[in-house]
Amino acid sequence: MLKKVPIAVLCSGGGTNLQAILDSAAAGAIPSGEVVLVVSDNASAYALERAAKAGVETAVFDRKAVPSRAEREEKILSVLQEKKIGLVILAGFMTILSEKFTRAFENRIINVHPSLIPSFCGPGFYGLKVHEAALARGVKVTGATVHYVNEVCDGGPIILQKAVNVEEGDTPETLQKRVMREAEWKILPAAAEIVCKKLLQR
Ligand code: GAR
């Protein structure tokens, strides 16, 4: 039996969720997994610097350099298979994955989404847009969700959720920051451990 599940984290931007996973792992909170690869579809993602600082290997398939989604997915799939990745974590990864991809890693892909699914999710709801929609609707409570990824965008089984209060005077930016700090950065590493532990028991 493998002692740790090899994890790949896929990111497109700042990578604060990647950082939360790396910090949790360094603190011993993800004993069942190990981040061995960071993949980005954006060559200038700050997440790549975070990975380099942590000594984690990176692979880049830039959206501008490789404009075809199918071609990018093929390249990502082959690097994941080559590295024998057991769990794929989408941490601010802004490409919606095809059914071919999700089938290839069935029950082995998780995603963090910055709302309480089923609110403010699905195609078009990503990043700040999610918080703009939550504020426009006037909700008083929002939060974050970690879920398995299947062929339905944001539709896979939910693993963890955490609620966060909306405060008077919030902007999309202040709300995004609070949801990250109070919810995403906690539940994503926790879900990674839950899923890795389950995979090791298979
Ligand atoms: C996070 O808020 C994440 O939940 C969101 O993008 C941000 C990435 O931040 N993901 C989505 O909206 C996916 N639908 P990060 O790069 O600093 O982790």
Side-chain angles (χ1 to χ4, degrees):
M1 192 175 80
L2 278 175
K3 285 236 287 291
K4 281 177 188 279
V5 175
I7 301 173
V9 185
L10 276 52
C11 313
S12 301
T16 64
N17 278 287
L18 166 67
Q19 193 66 56
I21 293 166
L22 293 170
D23 292 348
S24 288
I30 312 182
S32 307
E34 182 181 1
V35 179
V36 298
L37 181 69
V38 169
V39 177
S40 183
D41 58 358
N42 172 10
S44 44
Y46 187 66
L48 292 167
E49 289 184 39
R50 297 181 188 273
K53 271 188 203 145
V56 176
E57 199 176 312
T58 57
V60 181
F61 305 105
D62 188 78
R63 267 180 276 185
K64 287 184 203 116
V66 188
S68 147
R69 185 186 78 166
E71 208 179 308
R72 276 199 318 277
E73 278 196 355
E74 280 304 321
K75 289 176 189 289
I76 296 173
L77 267 182
S78 54
V79 71
L80 297 179
Q81 277 152 358
E82 184 190 311
K83 298 276 171 208
K84 302 198 173 3
I85 296 301
L87 175 67
V88 177
I89 301 181
L90 308 184
F93 188 63
M94 296 306 173
T95 298
I96 294 178
L97 298 170
S98 72
E99 189 166 354
K100 182 180 175 205
F101 193 105
T102 58
R103 282 261 167 91
F105 277 86
E106 202 156 14
N107 296 319
R108 288 176 179 272
I109 312 176
I110 65 173
N111 177 51
V112 62
H113 183 79
S115 74
L116 293 174
I117 288 175
S119 290
F120 313 117
C121 65
F125 286 100
Y126 58 88
L128 269 184
K129 288 179 193 288
V130 178
H131 305 292
E132 283 163 7
L135 289 176
R137 185 62 185 83
V139 295
K140 303 301 176 204
V141 176
T142 184
T145 302
V146 179
H147 62 93
Y148 283 104
V149 174
N150 62 16
E151 70 285 357
V152 181
C153 177
D154 296 328
I158 290 168
I159 303 165
L160 290 175
Q161 289 188 305
K162 192 164 191 297
V164 174
N165 287 332
V166 176
E167 287 176 11
E168 198 66 38
D170 259 340
T171 63
E173 289 79 7
T174 60
L175 185 56
Q176 178 183 52
K177 196 72 202 205
R178 188 174 321 107
V179 168
M180 284 177 156
R181 201 177 46 237
E182 293 183 9
E184 296 184 49
W185 300 341
K186 294 180 178 166
I187 64 174
L188 185 57
E193 174 55 20
I194 290 169
V195 176
C196 285
K197 199 169 174 186
K198 207 177 270 180
L199 290 171
L200 288 180
Q201 287 162 352
R202 271 189 179 181

